[in-house]
Amino acid sequence: MEGGFRKSMAWLHTWSGLVVGWVLFFMFLTGTFGYFDTEIDRWMRPEVPLERTSVSQQAAIELGIGRLQEVAPDAAQWTLYPPSGRDVPNINLYWSGVPGLGPQSGSEVLDNETGKPIDARDTGGGQALYQLHYLLRYLPSTLAYWIVGACSMLMLTAIVTGVVVHKRIFRDFFTFRPSRGRRSWLDFHNMLAVLALPFHLMITYSGLVFFAFTYMALVVSATYGSEAADRSRFFDEAFRNPEVGEASGVRAPAAPLVRIVAETEALWGDGQIRAIQIRRRERSASRAHRSSYWFGRRQ
Amino acid sequence: MSNNETNESLRAASIASRAVAAGGGGFVLANAAGVALAAVLPMPHADAVMAGILLTFAIYVAAIVWAFAARSASRAWLGLAVPIVLSFVLIAAVDWGAG
């Protein structure tokens, strides 16, 4: 625009930051609370007994599987999260694909030592705050994703242009002139922004990448096709998901989970298993599959 | 209308045009370039798509910066149209080469 490159970038920096600044502030605030979702949930349910971390994962997994056999013996899929520290203090169980008329899926949190489900009130707590920062609540989720995406793009623009307008980014970092009105505020703005610049850039870009397959779905469908099956073929290839074979039709004994867990722990180290998923096909063949990490958070 | 007012409305029109170029044109360019990268990057198919998709946001932000840095709104549009067309040519060439 008129006035040269730096001036037009300064204009863009101002407006890309101002236009949706309050939405971004809301996202950052609730997202920051989201870091402490487990603790907030815990705080909102004081009746939950103190976590016991003395149990081995091996024992916790056995307790969890025992409970799953009790409550959801016919489910098509079991997922078990053994206790693994801050984010998952207790045994978490999920099941889905239960045949029949009752509820098809369910979940439970177990006491690590007794293996009994923890009886506590329901709470939105930390999860509600965490989800607020990308779902904006009260809006349809797809609309919320796009609003959040547009705001994040503006944030990214503000960061990039903010770096561009700086002639002396290094010197500005050490400059603070107090009691000079707007000058002082600008110095303060520079200092804070430059100090956390890597974080700001990372959190903004990774936030966009989180929903990249929604925003930039075209890149996948242009190469793989736009059907749901094409998309899942891409995800299987890109994330190297293990193939689930066809059911043999013969009822097979369950794979010896205790041995698989022991082998995995020998390979990865004690207490390194984050998730175990067991899928059944046609209720005849069973297979266990280990996953080295789990992407996403507990919902 | 006074000269000043004319200038003001011209400036507003230029900003509106650039904003559409940045938001809309940038989005089209990001996607087109992403697809082109997925087609030409020398790596397994899924990885190329992944790399293309990861780079779309960097391309998008570069397009936004360009739309407001260009000397005039029409140059902003032109600067977006050229790489979009190039991306399509590249995609078509790879498609044609693949048979």
Side-chain angles (χ1 to χ4, degrees):
Chain A
M1 294 200 287
E2 65 268 29
F5 180 65
R6 188 155 274 142
K7 211 172 155 211
S8 52
M9 287 302 101
W11 181 92
L12 187 56
H13 180 67
T14 307
W15 286 101
S16 56
L18 268 182
V19 169
V20 293
W22 282 103
V23 185
L24 288 167
F25 179 69
F26 177 81
M27 284 160 60
F28 273 105
L29 189 70
T30 52
T32 305
F33 279 126
Y35 282 112
F36 304 101
D37 55 350
T38 316
E39 285 78 4
I40 295 171
D41 278 343
R42 180 76 187 75
W43 176 70
M44 294 189 67
R45 296 185 303 172
E47 63 272 25
V48 172
L50 283 178
E51 282 86 24
R52 303 185 180 95
T53 46
S54 56
V55 213
S56 74
Q57 270 203 342
Q58 183 78 255
I61 289 166
E62 275 174 52
L63 281 176
I65 295 293
R67 180 71 191 163
L68 282 166
Q69 272 159 352
E70 230 172 85
V71 288
D74 295 326
Q77 182 169 310
W78 289 346
T79 310
L80 185 154
Y81 298 100
S84 57
R86 227 206 89 193
D87 237 9
V88 187
N90 296 99
I91 307 169
N92 287 337
L93 307 177
Y94 297 84
W95 59 89
S96 60
V98 180
L101 294 170
Q104 294 204 315
S105 59
S107 66
E108 262 180 12
V109 180
L110 304 187
D111 186 294
N112 292 341
E113 226 156 61
T114 64
K116 296 266 176 297
I118 290 173
D119 188 25
R121 74 190 93 177
D122 287 335
T123 177
Q127 271 299 309
L129 285 163
Y130 167 69
Q131 288 172 14
L132 205 54
H133 96 283
Y134 63 89
L135 280 173
L136 305 176
R137 215 178 164 101
Y138 307 120
L139 288 178
S141 53
T142 310
L143 178 65
Y145 295 157
W146 282 95
I147 293 174
V148 165
C151 295
S152 305
M153 253 341 275
L154 283 163
M155 170 90 189
L156 188 61
T157 307
I159 292 172
V160 170
T161 50
V163 173
V164 166
V165 291
H166 265 282
K167 261 188 245 156
R168 309 157 303 180
I169 201 157
F170 185 74
R171 206 202 293 174
D172 276 351
F173 180 54
F174 296 99
T175 308
F176 182 61
R177 286 155 288 193
S179 338
R180 290 244 223 123
R182 289 174 68 182
R183 184 72 247 176
S184 304
W185 282 110
L186 190 62
D187 284 350
F188 199 51
H189 170 91
N190 290 342
M191 217 164 69
L192 286 178
V194 175
L195 182 68
L197 187 63
F199 173 78
H200 291 147
L201 197 57
M202 179 278 295
I203 204 80
T204 309
Y205 210 94
S206 63
L208 286 163
V209 167
F210 227 100
F211 292 110
F213 302 115
T214 304
Y215 303 144
M216 304 300 181
L218 206 70
V219 181
V220 176
S221 44
T223 319
Y224 278 81
S226 51
E227 302 292 322
D230 300 325
R231 284 175 66 80
S232 59
R233 195 160 51 86
F234 163 69
F235 288 126
D236 284 347
E237 278 178 38
F239 297 110
R240 286 159 183 91
N241 291 337
E243 275 180 48
V244 179
E246 287 300 311
S248 65
V250 184
R251 195 170 186 98
L257 192 67
V258 177
R259 209 191 67 214
I260 298 176
V261 169
E263 277 174 12
T264 310
E265 287 209 312
L267 220 65
W268 293 346
D270 285 349
Q272 293 303 309
I273 298 175
R274 291 289 171 272
I276 296 179
Q277 196 167 72
I278 299 173
R279 299 187 218 171
R280 290 151 198 240
R281 279 292 174 89
E282 311 281 316
R283 297 174 59 194
S284 54
S286 65
R287 69 166 47 223
H289 119 72
R290 334 166 195 184
S291 72
S292 54
Y293 60 90
W294 123 64
F295 183 75
R297 304 182 63 128
R298 187 161 50 91
Q299 294 294 312
Chain B
M1 232 194 266
S2 76
N3 233 358
N4 253 347
E5 274 172 42
T6 322
N7 274 345
E8 265 309 293
S9 54
L10 272 179
R11 193 176 131 82
S14 158
I15 288 173
S17 171
R18 286 168 196 271
V20 175
F27 187 74
V28 173
L29 172 57
N31 273 290
V35 175
L37 281 170
V40 298
L41 285 177
M43 44 177 96
H45 225 101
D47 294 345
V49 170
M50 197 66 119
I53 230 172
L54 291 179
L55 285 169
T56 49
F57 301 108
I59 298 162
Y60 199 170
V61 80
I64 295 173
V65 165
W66 163 255
F68 286 93
R71 230 179 301 139
S72 69
S74 42
R75 281 177 66 98
W77 278 103
L78 187 70
L80 293 177
V82 170
I84 290 172
V85 170
L86 279 179
S87 299
F88 279 118
V89 169
L90 209 57
I91 296 162
V94 171
D95 242 21
W96 184 74

